[in-house]
Amino acid sequence: MTSSLCLSVLIGCPASPTLLPENPCLIINAESIDRKELIAQESFCAHYRELSADDVVLLNQTVISELDHQIVEWHSFSDRRFNGPSQLSEFSEQYPNLRLVESRKIEGITLSTVLVDQKSLSDPLSTFELILREGDPLVVLQSAKEWLARCTRITLRGLVTSSKSREAAEAFLGASGFCKSSVDSCVWTPELEVSSLHLSLIRCGLLALFNADVYRELYPQTQEMTDVELIDHWLSQPDFRDVSKIMKDATQRNPTPLAELTDQDPALQLLQNIFPFDFYRSQRTDLSQIPNRELINHYWTHGQYEGIDLSESNVKNVLGKDQSLQVNRLNTRIHELEHLLSCANAQISAMQKLIVSSRDSGATNEQY
């Protein structure tokens, strides 16, 4: 499965539908916005795509907070771009004409809780983009929690906040593996772009770590579901972390022998992707001809008695030493060749001097 952008999440509704992304949108807004009126504005926008009711989902009078059910004091100003939890004093020096209209208390919710309820994100490999137009950007980013790993793009466009708040948000993005776009300073993207190969390995790893048989015992109603559907069902549970611990305990009590895994088993597929076959064969030359599956079985059974370290750090260390040894050998050979070349040049020079000396003494060519 390849990555697909399923959803655009906007914190703060734009003034015009022309500012909405092309894909389906979830809009979280502190004020009340009529979805029909928002969509109807398209009739005033020439050459603009037609919006459907399914394209836009609105969460009105909703504010993102650090914790669920946390009370947030929301301030409305004469310029709605400044609306948010920031006090007037944070803007008054730079914007002396700005006026506070009202303040009210709103029960907040974390972005993580909001995203859990989105069906378009139920697939563990689905992704989303985040567009921040209001509120405290640092609070929004931190409240996303583990969901931030599935965010492909973060935009701080249309967001008016204090310089201190924006600097804190940008520092958090940098520490979380995002980098600012060289084309658009409002856009941040992950430093490491996840390819379809990486995603397939992630899915394979997730399936390998997820014990479908144990999960079906915990939830008998899932007996007819596929393994992928089971993962979706698991992630939709409010207490999915607790369920994960129960499954782990059950798996440790009844482990599945490696030899019983089929070639289609996700756990075996994951092992085949990460096992250092070439390195292990270099340490056990007597096993160099056996297939990969048998090599894994052998290491699983006898590896703990062989004293061979297959950790990533050790493999890199040994390979690095082998490369250094090869370089040293090549350097030694180069020095030997340079010495031979120097000797050959000396002999040629001596012969040239001998020829010149003989000619000067009057010797004929026949004497040579």
Side-chain angles (χ1 to χ4, degrees):
M1 176 182 173
T2 59
S3 174
S4 60
L5 183 62
C6 300
L7 190 66
S8 290
V9 181
L10 289 83
I11 311 299
C13 184
S16 169
T18 59
L19 299 177
L20 293 175
E22 291 290 331
N23 42 289
C25 302
L26 167 65
I27 302 175
I28 304 170
N29 200 68
E31 310 294 337
S32 292
I33 301 294
D34 190 295
R35 183 174 59 178
K36 292 182 179 179
E37 289 183 4
L38 178 65
I39 295 175
Q41 291 183 42
E42 68 183 11
S43 60
F44 301 100
C45 306
H47 309 295
Y48 185 66
R49 67 184 180 94
E50 180 180 355
L51 290 171
S52 68
D54 295 332
D55 286 333
V56 178
V57 175
L58 270 171
L59 291 182
N60 281 320
Q61 297 184 329
T62 303
V63 172
I64 299 300
S65 57
E66 296 179 7
L67 304 172
D68 289 327
H69 309 297
Q70 180 179 359
I71 301 301
V72 177
E73 188 171 5
W74 191 263
H75 307 290
S76 299
F77 297 96
S78 52
D79 186 336
R80 63 185 297 268
R81 295 177 300 168
F82 294 83
N83 291 359
S86 298
Q87 300 282 344
L88 177 62
S89 58
E90 297 182 42
F91 304 112
S92 56
E93 182 176 351
Q94 188 174 359
Y95 304 95
N97 295 326
L98 187 66
R99 295 291 180 267
L100 177 64
V101 176
E102 68 169 346
S103 297
R104 55 195 175 95
K105 298 184 183 299
I106 304 177
E107 183 176 328
I109 187 173
T110 62
L111 183 57
S112 175
T113 299
V114 172
L115 296 178
V116 166
D117 294 333
Q118 306 309 308
K119 292 183 179 180
S120 58
L121 298 178
S122 59
D123 189 301
L125 298 184
S126 59
T127 60
F128 67 97
E129 69 169 330
L130 183 60
I131 303 172
L132 305 183
R133 304 182 65 90
E134 70 175 21
D136 188 327
L138 181 60
V139 169
V140 174
L141 295 171
Q142 290 178 331
S143 73
K145 300 178 182 178
E146 66 273 9
W147 285 89
L148 208 59
R150 289 165 61 176
C151 186
T152 60
R153 178 185 174 101
I154 296 175
T155 305
L156 306 180
R157 196 181 313 284
L159 178 68
V160 180
T161 184
S162 65
S163 58
K164 182 179 179 180
S165 177
R166 193 179 188 99
E167 289 172 1
E170 293 186 346
F172 178 81
L173 285 171
S176 301
F178 287 80
C179 59
K180 185 181 294 187
S181 169
S182 58
V183 179
D184 190 338
S185 61
C186 294
V187 174
W188 292 72
T189 55
E191 292 185 13
L192 177 62
E193 182 179 356
V194 181
S195 66
S196 58
L197 173 61
H198 291 140
L199 289 175
S200 64
L201 289 177
I202 291 173
R203 175 177 284 280
C204 189
L206 188 58
L207 287 170
L209 296 172
F210 186 84
N211 193 312
D213 293 334
V214 172
Y215 192 79
R216 289 187 178 97
E217 291 179 6
L218 293 174
Y219 296 93
Q221 69 271 27
T222 64
Q223 291 292 332
E224 303 301 322
M225 291 184 180
T226 65
D227 289 356
V228 173
E229 290 173 337
L230 288 180
I231 291 180
D232 294 342
H233 185 274
W234 166 56
L235 292 175
S236 66
Q237 303 296 320
D239 56 345
F240 71 95
R241 291 185 180 85
D242 295 334
V243 174
S244 179
K245 184 178 184 304
I246 295 173
M247 292 174 60
K248 180 181 178 182
D249 294 341
T251 302
Q252 290 176 343
R253 290 194 299 270
N254 301 290
T256 302
L258 180 65
E260 295 181 10
L261 299 179
T262 64
D263 291 338
Q264 289 73 37
D265 193 286
L268 181 60
Q269 293 177 7
L270 179 63
L271 278 174
Q272 290 177 333
N273 276 292
I274 64 176
F275 191 87
F277 293 103
D278 293 338
F279 177 78
Y280 188 46
R281 288 189 173 100
S282 71
Q283 305 298 304
R284 287 294 306 270
T285 55
D286 56 315
L287 304 176
S288 59
Q289 302 301 318
I290 70 174
N292 288 351
R293 173 64 190 271
E294 294 181 22
L295 197 65
I296 291 178
N297 290 342
H298 180 276
Y299 182 76
W300 187 268
T301 305
H302 306 287
Q304 58 181 319
Y305 310 110
E306 295 176 328
I308 299 177
D309 184 2
L310 295 188
S311 65
E312 182 179 4
S313 58
N314 184 62
V315 172
K316 288 183 177 179
N317 183 47
V318 173
L319 293 179
K321 289 181 179 178
D322 290 343
Q323 292 175 353
S324 299
L325 181 61
Q326 292 177 8
V327 170
N328 290 334
R329 289 174 179 172
L330 289 173
N331 286 334
T332 301
R333 184 57 178 162
I334 289 173
H335 291 321
E336 292 175 353
L337 292 174
E338 288 176 342
H339 178 69
L340 291 174
L341 181 60
S342 178
C343 292
N345 287 333
Q347 291 178 350
I348 292 173
S349 178
M351 291 178 63
Q352 289 175 338
K353 290 180 180 179
L354 178 61
I355 292 172
V356 172
S357 176
S358 299
R359 287 176 177 174
D360 292 343
S361 64
T364 61
N365 294 334
E366 287 79 5
Q367 291 177 302
Y368 299 108

